[in-house]
Amino acid sequence: MHAIAQAAVDQTPPNCRVSAEQAAVIARHADILESLGPGIVDAFYETLYAHEPTAAVFKDGERPMREESLHNWWRRTVRGPIDDQYWSWMAMVGLIHVIRRVTNPMMLAMAQFVADYLDEHSDRLELDFDEEQRVVEAFRRVAAMTGSVITWGYDHAVSSSLFEVAGMPEALLARLRDEEVKSALVSARKEVTRN
Ligand code: HEM
């Protein structure tokens, strides 16, 4: 998990990662941020349950447990530290979702949802405008990095499981994939040109 998270972080240009200053901004306001937890969790699950493909992921009676998981995530995120261990945990959380068939579009949309929620409710932080904007920006970065780590973990899980099943070295698998995508692109270009 550590290696997967590190690979995702390393591929992200440094000025797009969560900086030490941004982690400190979040830590500075951990108490008030934590108090937004119930509202975020509620809005998050209202959104998922209101949309058929995301609602279909859940089993009957699972909602209270899921809300508790997200609440824990929120608490851990605002309490910090947002460090290597945090990103390793996010890589693992990503894999937990793969098993439940939660897709990358669902994960990316909901990471963005959290950042948007904070932006829309930033007056509740009761901070001066500049500090409020620093918190909002810090969460945009957390959301973007969460998306990077989770999607990278997803790709890694798919390619390494194909490797296990097909017994093919990953480099060969990647070459075959590139060839397939190249020919798929030929028909994709024709289709897009027609539109
Ligand atoms: C930013 C996005 C998300 C975050 C941060 C997040 C966070 C979490 C966390 C921390 C857990 C508990 C993991 C553990 O057991 O240790 C969890 C579990 C779960 N989440 Fe999410 N989640 C996100 C998006 C979603 C979405 C979009 C769905 C469904 C459409 C979803 C469905 C689930 C399910 C079904 C589980 C239970 C997995 C299992 O143990 O079987 N989550 N989530």
Side-chain angles (χ1 to χ4, degrees):
M1 284 304 105
H2 179 77
I4 290 172
Q6 198 56 50
V9 172
D10 287 347
Q11 289 171 73
T12 306
N15 55 358
C16 301
R17 298 177 197 164
V18 181
S19 67
E21 292 76 26
Q22 286 171 323
V25 168
I26 294 174
R28 231 180 358 256
H29 303 296
D31 288 339
I32 184 92
L33 281 165
E34 192 172 333
S35 74
L36 298 185
I40 290 182
V41 169
D42 189 56
F44 189 98
Y45 275 98
E46 280 299 304
T47 302
L48 290 181
Y49 274 91
H51 181 56
E52 200 277 324
T54 44
V57 167
F58 301 106
K59 298 176 186 153
D60 284 350
E62 189 178 6
R63 186 164 173 166
M65 261 185 320
R66 296 291 58 91
E67 291 191 344
E68 185 53 33
S69 301
L70 195 73
H71 215 139
N72 286 338
W73 171 77
W74 179 249
R75 267 194 297 267
R76 169 67 180 82
T77 302
V78 302
R79 288 286 160 204
I82 298 180
D83 56 7
D84 288 356
Q85 210 185 333
Y86 177 81
W87 296 120
S88 304
W89 179 51
M90 276 298 97
M92 192 196 72
V93 165
L95 288 194
I96 288 169
H97 289 84
V98 173
I99 309 279
R100 293 294 297 270
R101 306 240 167 142
V102 181
T103 62
N104 282 336
M106 294 174 186
M107 292 303 280
L108 290 175
M110 293 316 286
Q112 187 62 42
F113 179 92
V114 173
D116 288 345
Y117 181 98
L118 203 74
D119 193 356
E120 283 157 26
H121 296 80
S122 57
D123 55 317
R124 290 191 41 204
L125 297 172
E126 295 176 358
L127 299 170
D128 69 57
F129 182 75
D130 288 346
E131 185 72 347
E132 183 183 295
Q133 288 312 300
R134 281 191 280 273
V135 174
V136 169
E137 186 51 34
F139 271 96
R140 293 229 168 272
R141 291 284 177 82
V142 170
M145 280 305 302
T146 300
S148 302
V149 170
I150 283 174
T151 51
W152 181 248
Y154 189 105
D155 284 351
H156 189 271
V158 171
S159 62
S160 62
S161 59
L162 274 177
F163 168 63
E164 290 300 328
V165 172
M168 235 182 251
E170 282 195 56
L172 175 57
L173 217 50
R175 243 189 357 261
L176 292 173
R177 177 203 60 202
D178 292 349
E179 287 307 315
E180 283 301 314
V181 173
K182 248 189 238 159
S183 46
L185 260 179
V186 174
S187 20
R189 278 191 206 286
K190 281 187 199 139
E191 185 191 322
V192 172
T193 322
R194 266 203 308 273
N195 287 337

